[in-house]
Amino acid sequence: MLKDWKKVHRKIRGLRGLSAEEKIMIARSLAATPDERWQMHENFLRSHGLFSHWQRKASGFKW
Amino acid sequence: MVGMSAAIIQGVPATTLDTDLWVDLPQRHYIRLLNLVHRQGGTGLAPTMYALADGSLVNFIFSMTGLRNFATEYEHAREMMWNGLKIRVLPLERIYQSKKASARDKDLAHLPFLEKVMRAQKRNEEKKKP
């Protein structure tokens, strides 16, 4: 579950080659359920007005 | 499910503009997929690209670069629950392999981050063992 991300973060915080921000972002994503992960992805697109093909076309995207 | 959508539901914090679905059909049968999409209220944008009723995009893929055949990859795919459905998802290692083999700029750009997430996933799972 997403709310348990700090447990995952503790496990991966010693990994080399990842920034502190990447470790937090990856810990949150690994802790989340598949549905929570997809929801975060959709929320990101919606927050930029890019969720639907039609919105993106209006913003100049090809797809 | 393949591509970055499959990567996202396996824990890669990324985003994508379409959902890639690998279908075990010859490309000449794309009309069957178009009919399916139409029944769901969607629209065809190109022979492999469809906008669903909510505006999300689905890209049907008929062959994958750098992978074994559909049946073999399907057999080794991860089974996951997503949106209340049991689905088969191409594992991250295989997504990495297909992107590396296709070698398009946009695929190669994903590789360093996919590698980081796979390392983190491995570390996370290692420490779960007693």
Side-chain angles (χ1 to χ4, degrees):
Chain A
M1 299 283 282
L2 181 55
K3 64 184 175 59
D4 300 325
W5 72 269
K6 286 184 179 173
K7 289 180 193 166
V8 178
H9 186 251
R10 277 196 291 276
K11 292 178 190 170
I12 68 167
R13 69 183 167 193
L15 271 182
R16 291 184 180 178
L18 280 74
S19 69
E21 293 80 8
E22 284 175 325
K23 286 174 188 172
I24 291 171
M25 205 164 62
I26 291 171
R28 285 172 55 83
S29 193
L30 289 180
T33 64
D35 284 335
E36 287 173 331
R37 292 165 184 161
W38 192 255
Q39 194 60 57
M40 286 192 281
H41 155 64
E42 285 196 349
N43 289 347
F44 179 82
L45 290 179
R46 286 182 203 282
S47 72
H48 292 284
L50 297 173
F51 174 74
S52 80
H53 165 66
W54 317 112
Q55 287 174 307
R56 293 196 294 267
K57 284 282 276 188
S59 301
F61 283 69
K62 183 181 177 190
W63 298 110
Chain B
M1 186 187 287
V2 297
M4 285 312 288
S5 307
I8 289 167
I9 68 167
Q10 290 176 85
V12 177
T15 190
T16 182
L17 299 181
D18 60 5
T19 299
D20 293 328
L21 300 176
W22 187 7
V23 292
D24 189 20
L25 278 178
Q27 188 158 0
R28 66 180 183 277
H29 288 183
Y30 79 90
I31 198 76
R32 292 171 62 184
L33 302 168
L34 179 62
N35 290 337
L36 180 68
V37 169
H38 280 165
R39 282 202 298 275
Q40 307 291 323
T43 313
L45 304 173
T48 64
M49 186 70 89
Y50 303 88
L52 302 184
D54 67 354
S56 59
L57 289 187
V58 172
N59 185 27
F60 290 115
I61 295 173
F62 297 92
S63 66
M64 293 283 297
T65 308
L67 299 181
R68 295 164 296 189
N69 64 34
F70 182 93
T72 307
E73 296 292 349
Y74 187 84
E75 189 186 333
H76 294 97
R78 283 183 72 182
E79 205 168 66
M80 300 181 82
M81 287 302 293
W82 180 64
N83 277 335
L85 297 169
K86 195 186 283 184
I87 61 167
R88 293 276 185 137
V89 178
L90 193 68
L92 287 183
E93 295 75 14
R94 305 302 292 154
I95 294 171
Y96 185 94
Q97 173 64 29
S98 72
K99 286 188 172 292
K100 193 174 175 183
S102 78
R104 295 178 303 178
D105 287 347
K106 69 173 192 168
D107 293 316
L108 296 177
H110 284 129
L111 298 182
F113 196 59
L114 277 175
E115 200 174 325
K116 287 178 181 182
V117 176
M118 288 190 293
R119 283 173 49 218
Q121 191 180 53
K122 191 175 170 193
R123 175 69 64 91
N124 184 38
E125 285 168 5
E126 271 171 9
K127 294 205 172 183
K128 276 181 191 165
K129 293 172 188 168

